[in-house]
Amino acid sequence: MNDMITMDQLRPEQSAYIRAIGGSGALRHHLLDMGLTPKTEVTLRKIAPMGDPIQIELRGYELTLRLDEAKKIEVEDIHQKAQPKSPSESYRPIAHPGVGELGTDGDYHVHERGDAIAKGQPLTFALAGNQNCGKTTLFNQLTGAKQHVGNFPGVTVDRKDGTIRHYPEATVTDLPGIYSLSPYSSEEIVTRDFLMKTRPSGIINIVDASNIERNLYLTMQLMELGIPMVLALNMMDEVRANGGSVRINELEQTLGIPVVPISAVKNEGIDELIDHAVHVARHRESPARIDFCAESDMPGDQVGAVHRAIHSTVHLIEPYAKAANLPVRFSATKVIENDPLIGKALALPPEAQTALEQIVRVMEADSALDREAALANMRFTFIENVCAKTVVK
């Protein structure tokens, strides 16, 4: 066992396991949201010519960190990571179901529904995704020249709105590029406020197919809002060119939302994406899945600890969330993370606040992780399991 050091001291191609995440507040939460949770294996791949930043690999994707961020991450058990074997299986893509068609197991589009929105009635969509995932290109493909730019109220963050092609009754708002719905930047707050206060008819979530492990973290939080949603899997042409693929049908059955492969740059799959988005919005088909803790493979009792905490919190805060017009599941995960804005909006009475803190203490003791790390680890473990089954490198 090597002496404990910080991540900035690793040498290229050295691997280690994260021991602890230092810092506090927004910075620490940001690091956890990037997948840097305790016990995660990381490998240093590159160091910039001037020594800052560094590029690391973890959980199947690459991440760039500034040195001052890397210095806050304690690591242990330095080793040389074994090179993964090339996959020997070949994957033959199968047909992707059209709108309203059944998938291979017969349960495509099993969602909670409300009263359908009649054809011709106004529809509103939010376009959400990570930075550098092709969101601006997709927005332009969705709207063409029918768009205008302004600002969100009270901030200098750009707001772009447009009319979706072929559907004059449907408008889409291009939200800022973010990596999570944590309230630690103006872009994150603007996005979250728009989604929770405006409650659009649907969400179009664009995901970079070549970096799917990183992008799905935001997807999971969007799904917890309970808004009808479709996932646009962008840059599939690049994935195929590199010999990879994604099992689209299996991915959408696992997530419980339609998944449409697209190439925004080449205008491929855009019409199918629009049709799916309009379909789920008109029929008010909310995501079939918002529970991500039951099928994880976390060591020990981490799954059970997080699962029990979330579901206990849902029951505890449900009347307060409904009174505040907040999505219950999303509010439960956020209040466990000690999200200040959600906590303020819920306005829990003292006895409920005491019960919540007891739930969190039990979860931290059983999982051996603090409240923020436990939730981040739950989400990323689910993502790793999903990608292991559906992503062919």
Side-chain angles (χ1 to χ4, degrees), residues 26 60 73 108 165 180 184 189 199 203 212 217 224 249 257 280 315 329 391:
I73 303 170
Y108 182 73
R165 67 189 194 190
S180 79
Y184 297 111
I189 294 172
R199 296 293 296 183
I203 296 173
I212 190 170
Y217 192 82
E224 288 181 340
N249 294 345
I257 57 175
V280 298
H315 291 299
R329 168 73 187 207
V391 178

Side-chain angles (χ1 to χ4, degrees), residues 6 26 45 66 134 138 159 176 205 207 211 213 217 260 263 265 281 283 285 288 310 348 352 358 372 377:
T6 51
R45 291 302 186 196
R66 297 192 302 270
L138 176 57
R159 170 173 174 163
N205 172 217
V207 165
N211 198 14
E213 296 89 347
Y217 192 82
V260 182
S263 171
V265 170
H283 294 278
E285 296 178 355
I310 292 174
L348 298 178
Q358 177 61 23
E372 292 178 298
N377 196 48

Side-chain angles (χ1 to χ4, degrees), residues 192-341:
R192 203 166 80 167
D193 283 351
F194 180 85
L195 293 170
M196 290 199 297
K197 294 178 181 178
T198 306
R199 296 293 296 183
S201 310
I203 296 173
I204 301 172
N205 172 217
I206 180 170
V207 165
D208 177 358
S210 65
N211 198 14
I212 190 170
E213 296 89 347
R214 179 71 186 91
N215 282 227
L216 286 179
Y217 192 82
L218 175 62
T219 301
M220 294 170 67
Q221 294 183 325
L222 292 172
M223 289 168 62
E224 288 181 340
L225 295 172
I227 299 171
M229 179 170 157
V230 60
L231 190 151
L233 199 57
N234 193 28
M235 306 183 193
M236 279 298 295
D237 53 328
E238 295 182 18
V239 172
R240 289 190 293 265
N242 291 326
S245 188
V246 178
R247 296 184 174 98
I248 304 296
N249 294 345
E250 289 91 333
L251 179 60
E252 67 180 9
Q253 287 161 11
T254 302
L255 296 178
I257 57 175
V259 177
V260 182
I262 70 167
S263 171
V265 170
K266 296 182 179 179
N267 195 25
E268 295 176 355
I270 307 301
D271 287 338
E272 182 187 357
L273 173 65
I274 293 172
D275 290 344
H276 275 280
V278 170
H279 178 87
V280 298
R282 275 197 181 139
H283 294 278
R284 301 184 192 271
E285 296 178 355
S286 57
R289 179 173 202 144
I290 55 172
D291 189 345
F292 308 106
C293 50
E295 296 181 6
S296 300
D297 295 324
M298 288 188 249
D301 193 35
Q302 289 182 13
V303 177
V306 176
H307 181 82
R308 289 190 296 271
I310 292 174
H311 289 271
S312 297
T313 303
V314 165
H315 291 299
L316 174 68
I317 71 166
E318 186 169 11
Y320 308 103
K322 288 184 176 179
N325 198 29
L326 295 173
V328 179
R329 168 73 187 207
F330 179 81
S331 299
T333 57
K334 283 300 176 185
V335 80
I336 290 174
E337 291 176 347
N338 204 24
D339 184 303
L341 299 183

